[in-house]
Amino acid sequence: MNKLNYLFGGLMVLLISCQQQTKNKSVENELTKPDTLANSGEELLEFGFLNEAKNAVILLDTDDSIQHPAYLTEAIIANQLVKAKYAHFQKQNEVLDNGRQTEANFDYVAGHYFSLEKNSSQSDFALLVNPSFLSKRSIIPFDLENKNTQKEELNLPAKYQRKVKNQKTIAFLPNNTLIKLIEFEVEQDSALAILVYSSPDKILIKEFPALYDEISTWSVDDGGEFGMDYFQIESILANGDRIELVISEFGAEGYNLTFLRESGGTFDEIKRAYGYSAPN
């Protein structure tokens, strides 16, 4: 019996050793293998948040769907390209992690960790992409202020001819193009806000309909107001003749990062990530 126990124990040690070697080899391959996935033409994109020094990013998604983080080699941050390099999967500090995806908790949260080639202090967020994604796109510059005294009036379709409660232009682009948020007065219990991309060539509209509630309409504890001051254009891209937007939205408990793509006069939501950031 003792011989059998000894033999069984030896086999278990050998098995564990082989598993660990395979795991280590897998990590090594992830960091060194050629970018065959990028060469295949498949586009990859993932959202992340930056640390306090603005020289590193951790992805918001941590599930098994992110199988090849090393293929994400560029970060789009506040409409600028920054080289990114995958370092490792950061383990959670079970003692110090407070569960928030914020710069203050960056060192303690679990997630795929990337270093940045240079600091980027213009935003707290990044869109990590692969070369195939970038090969089809260009970045469109924009301003947050109306530096060229653009006209901000819009000719909206008839279905939006309802009383406006609040509006704000959030981006000014070249060629008399702008992006505006409009919140309409509530009709019965129907609340509606829209994002409008308006250029001389086209108008694109993204609707944000909601059931009105005086406490929480579009997000938790928003007081029934569409938070325009907490809605920001992070980046604007041209994909052929289609417009794509990277936006951030803050709420009482967290933030949403969304990638939108022009489609038939509106914007389709291609990817969204949520970060928990409620105050302590």
Side-chain angles (χ1 to χ4, degrees):
M1 181 64 69
N2 289 337
K3 290 183 178 180
L4 289 175
N5 289 340
Y6 179 80
L7 179 61
F8 179 76
L11 289 173
M12 288 299 296
V13 171
L14 180 61
L15 177 61
I16 293 172
S17 176
C18 290
Q19 289 176 336
Q20 185 62 45
Q21 290 178 16
T22 301
K23 182 178 180 181
N24 292 341
K25 191 67 175 177
S26 176
V27 172
E28 179 182 351
N29 288 342
E30 180 62 51
L31 295 171
T32 60
K33 60 188 174 185
D35 198 352
T36 55
L37 188 60
N39 293 335
S40 73
E42 183 175 350
E43 297 179 357
L44 303 177
L45 63 159
E46 296 290 341
F47 282 112
F49 66 102
L50 278 70
N51 62 349
E52 189 172 3
K54 308 302 183 188
N55 60 7
V57 177
I58 284 181
L59 298 189
L60 285 166
D61 289 339
T62 58
D63 58 29
D64 295 336
S65 65
I66 306 175
Q67 298 179 6
H68 304 286
Y71 291 134
L72 302 169
T73 58
E74 298 277 355
I76 302 175
I77 305 173
N79 231 34
Q80 300 293 324
L81 276 180
V82 180
K83 288 286 185 183
K85 184 177 181 179
Y86 182 61
H88 58 271
F89 185 87
Q90 177 171 285
K91 294 182 179 180
Q92 178 193 25
N93 185 318
E94 297 182 358
V95 176
L96 297 177
D97 180 20
N98 60 24
R100 292 163 175 80
Q101 284 82 35
T102 61
E103 62 177 29
N105 195 46
F106 187 94
D107 293 337
Y108 313 126
V109 69
H112 293 288
Y113 183 107
F114 293 77
S115 60
L116 298 177
E117 185 177 68
K118 61 181 180 180
N119 293 22
S120 181
S121 60
Q122 301 303 311
S123 177
D124 295 325
F125 309 115
L127 180 67
L128 278 290
V129 300
N130 68 333
S132 291
F133 180 96
L134 284 179
S135 67
K136 303 172 185 177
R137 292 167 173 82
S138 59
I139 292 177
I140 302 176
F142 69 94
D143 293 310
L144 299 178
E145 299 178 355
N146 191 354
K147 296 181 178 180
N148 298 316
T149 63
Q150 292 179 218
K151 293 183 179 180
E152 298 186 40
E153 294 79 12
L154 300 177
N155 293 317
L156 296 176
K159 64 180 290 188
Y160 301 111
Q161 299 306 316
R162 53 193 285 185
K163 188 175 181 180
V164 173
K165 179 180 180 180
N166 194 14
Q167 58 183 313
K168 180 180 181 181
T169 303
I170 57 175
F172 297 89
L173 291 73
N175 302 320
N176 293 316
T177 299
L178 57 81
I179 299 175
K180 176 175 282 194
L181 292 172
I182 301 174
E183 179 185 356
F184 298 101
E185 292 285 357
V186 175
E187 293 185 353
Q188 297 180 347
D189 59 356
S190 172
L192 177 65
I194 59 174
L195 177 147
V196 184
Y197 172 96
S198 176
S199 74
D201 300 324
K202 57 189 172 184
I203 290 183
L204 309 172
I205 297 177
K206 173 68 174 175
E207 294 187 352
F208 300 96
L211 182 66
Y212 177 74
D213 182 279
E214 62 181 9
I215 298 175
S216 303
T217 299
W218 285 278
S219 62
V220 175
D221 295 333
D222 63 12
E225 304 284 340
F226 189 80
M228 294 188 181
D229 292 337
Y230 306 103
F231 190 110
Q232 184 169 328
I233 300 293
E234 296 285 335
S235 298
I236 306 175
L237 306 173
N239 180 0
D241 60 356
R242 294 189 298 180
I243 299 298
E244 296 173 336
L245 305 177
V246 181
I247 62 175
S248 61
E249 307 165 74
F250 276 89
E253 295 187 351
Y255 55 87
N256 286 306
L257 305 177
T258 309
F259 182 78
L260 300 175
R261 177 177 296 154
E262 175 186 344
S263 176
T266 184
F267 286 100
D268 288 341
E269 183 178 300
I270 304 303
K271 189 171 186 64
R272 173 183 286 246
Y274 175 77
Y276 179 62
S277 61
N280 292 326

